[in-house]
Amino acid sequence: MVTPILLVTPDHAPSQEIMRLAGDQAFTVELCASAEKAAGILSASSKGIIAIFDLDRLDLDERYFRQLPKTPGHCLMGLSHSPFHPDLKEAIGRHLIACLRKPIDTDELRFLLDSFAKNGCAPE
C-alpha cells in the first residue's frame, strides 16, 4: 500500500530530499504551497496522510492546528531550522507527532516515515 505524504511549504528546497527518499520507498509526495490548501486536502481525505509543515516558511498559529480534522491515521509533522517555536508551543506538544530539523537527516526521516506507514500515528 502506498502512503501519501503532503509536504506543505512554499519553498521547494526541502521537498527535493523528501521526494528523493520517498521515491525509494512506498510513498507518494504531493507538494502544497499553502496551509489553507493543506487544510482542505486533509479535510477531504478519509485515509491517513503524513503531512509535513514547514514551520519556518508558513504563517501558522495554534488555531490553525486546532481546526484541522482529527482524522484517524493523519500524521502531522513539523520541519524547521529552529529548535524552538514559542508561538507554536501548544501545537507542537499536542498536534505534531514529530518535528524534523533542517537540514533533513535522511535516516531520521526514513525511520519516521516507515514507522508511521506501518503503525499509523497517535500523538498520545
Side-chain angles (χ1 to χ4, degrees):
M1 184 170 117
V2 176
T3 303
I5 298 172
L6 179 64
L7 181 58
V8 189
T9 180
D11 180 11
H12 291 299
S15 65
Q16 299 304 318
E17 185 63 27
I18 292 171
M19 290 177 75
R20 184 188 63 76
L21 179 63
D24 297 340
Q25 308 291 321
F27 300 101
T28 59
V29 179
E30 181 178 347
L31 298 176
C32 181
S34 77
E36 293 77 22
K37 183 177 175 189
I41 292 168
L42 290 169
S43 294
S45 177
S46 61
K47 69 177 187 170
I49 294 175
I50 300 171
I52 304 173
F53 293 87
D54 189 335
L55 302 179
D56 298 333
R57 302 293 313 255
L58 298 167
D59 186 23
L60 300 172
D61 59 12
E62 303 289 343
R63 188 171 24 114
Y64 175 80
F65 288 101
R66 279 194 303 264
Q67 293 175 351
L68 286 177
K70 306 295 186 262
T71 304
H74 283 352
C75 300
L76 307 181
M77 297 173 53
L79 178 64
S80 178
H81 278 108
S82 175
F84 187 63
H85 287 270
D87 52 330
L88 291 173
K89 181 179 174 183
E90 179 187 329
I92 291 171
R94 284 190 171 180
H95 306 288
L96 301 181
I97 194 92
C99 192
L100 296 168
R101 186 88 187 240
K102 291 179 188 176
I104 296 171
D105 178 332
T106 56
D107 290 334
E108 178 184 25
L109 178 62
R110 182 176 290 116
F111 172 79
L112 289 170
L113 293 178
D114 288 343
S115 176
F116 296 159
K118 290 176 188 168
N119 306 313
C121 291
E124 290 82 34

